[in-house]
Amino acid sequence: MKIAVTGASGFVGGAVCRALAAEGVTTFGYGRRPVPGDLGGAAYRSWDLARGPLPDAPGVDAVIHCAGSAADWGPAAGLFAANLTGTRNALASFPGARFVHVSTASVYDPFRPSVMVTEDEAPVRRYLNAYGASKAAAERAVPRDAIILRPHAVYGPGDTTLLPRVLAAVRGPVLPAAGTGRQRVSLTSIANLVRACVLAATGPVASGVFNIADAAPVTIDDALRGILRERGVRARPVYVPAAAARPLAAVAEGAFLLARSTRPPRVTRYAISHLAVERTLDITAAREALGYDPHETAFTGAASW
């Protein structure tokens, strides 16, 4: 097979390229960076999807579309350009190829808990920020004969989002967090997500929407303590009730907007919506249709991530 991977210079796309190349698949990686890093021998070409379709795109059997912005703070125009326009340009560049769109569980309703949600419960019409709205718009732009994957809180070697945020929030011996610590959450290891991408691109199923997560949910407290322990950080989670954390986050966001800050507040309503209430995914469809067999959530080796 010949497979194109967008976002190859990023966390997920790079891991997908390395996995495909290791399986002997002819892999074409695309990303915005001039130099992508280790792609396991996959060919690489710099391409900013937001600027237009790829000229002279090679013929491929499938596309795994990992490119996009995962920022939960920033101008809406930039997020829609990266996530919606970029998706449209990826589709236009490889007509006729199987299309695997890596979306996000952030397309589910952020205003209520997600309790073992199934794929038919999203997209919705209301979102807390442009990230969720732009990813939902991108899903709507994907044709029915494509595959959509919805991971949640992707972690593992090379993680640029979840682990750095947890570590940045530590204050001395304390890691402030919202909720009670007992709320359950589905996490997605990079290894599980990569396997789902490969199955989606090479397996017999050519269309459908699938939640992608680790084998079973974990509690937030277990996850945070596991990360801190593996990283050797002598701190413990301390929880603020969500009802108190949300107004504080709204005030912080307002202050940052007035200051026209380009960096995000330390706490946002979006982050609270994903950590302070249950966010669990039903992965039955992926297990049955894709043959997806994920491993349990684990942070072993996180000291070197």
Side-chain angles (χ1 to χ4, degrees), residues 30 45-49 51-59 89-90 92-94:
Y30 301 93
R45 180 175 171 185
S46 182
W47 171 33
D48 185 349
L49 278 77
R51 294 183 177 274
L54 179 69
D56 304 320
N89 288 334
S93 299
F94 302 97

Side-chain angles (χ1 to χ4, degrees), residues 102-127:
V102 181
S103 185
T104 171
S106 290
V107 297
Y108 290 105
D109 192 341
F111 294 93
R112 63 183 180 87
S114 302
V115 181
M116 299 304 286
V117 289
T118 53
E119 290 80 359
D120 59 348
E121 296 181 53
V124 295
R125 296 189 177 275
R126 55 180 188 170
Y127 290 98

Side-chain angles (χ1 to χ4, degrees), residues 8 16-17 20 85 96 104 112 127 141 171 187 234 237 239 279 297:
V16 170
C17 280
L20 290 171
T85 305
T104 171
R112 63 183 180 87
Y127 290 98
R171 295 291 176 269
L187 303 178
R234 295 181 177 277
Y239 296 94
R279 296 290 173 199
T297 295

Side-chain angles (χ1 to χ4, degrees), residues 187-189 191-193 195-196 199 211-216 283-284 286-288 291-297:
L187 303 178
T188 310
S189 76
N192 281 334
L193 178 54
R195 188 59 192 154
L199 288 169
N211 290 331
I212 302 298
D214 295 346
I283 58 172
T284 302
R287 287 183 182 275
E288 294 180 351
Y292 177 63
D293 185 20
H295 59 65
E296 300 281 346
T297 295

Side-chain angles (χ1 to χ4, degrees), residues 46-93:
S46 182
W47 171 33
D48 185 349
L49 278 77
R51 294 183 177 274
L54 179 69
D56 304 320
V60 296
D61 301 294
V63 179
I64 303 177
H65 179 47
C66 304
S69 174
D72 65 352
W73 182 264
L79 284 160
F80 273 86
N83 295 333
L84 175 57
T85 305
T87 298
R88 287 173 172 163
N89 288 334
L91 284 162
S93 299

Side-chain angles (χ1 to χ4, degrees), residues 162-203:
L162 181 64
L163 183 64
R165 283 194 172 187
V166 170
L167 298 178
V170 173
R171 295 291 176 269
V174 170
L175 170 60
T180 64
R182 296 188 298 276
Q183 61 270 24
R184 299 196 310 158
V185 62
S186 290
L187 303 178
T188 310
S189 76
I190 186 64
N192 281 334
L193 178 54
V194 166
R195 188 59 192 154
C197 287
V198 173
L199 288 169
T202 63

Side-chain angles (χ1 to χ4, degrees), residues 171-258:
R171 295 291 176 269
V174 170
L175 170 60
T180 64
R182 296 188 298 276
Q183 61 270 24
R184 299 196 310 158
V185 62
S186 290
L187 303 178
T188 310
S189 76
I190 186 64
N192 281 334
L193 178 54
V194 166
R195 188 59 192 154
C197 287
V198 173
L199 288 169
T202 63
V205 176
S207 63
V209 183
F210 304 99
N211 290 331
I212 302 298
D214 295 346
V218 295
T219 66
I220 283 289
D221 192 68
D222 285 345
L224 294 178
R225 290 179 185 274
I227 291 170
L228 295 174
R229 182 171 56 252
E230 285 295 322
R231 293 287 297 198
V233 178
R234 295 181 177 277
R236 62 184 180 86
V238 174
Y239 296 94
V240 177
R246 289 191 189 96
L248 292 174
V251 169
E253 289 181 23
F256 272 63
L257 286 172
L258 287 173

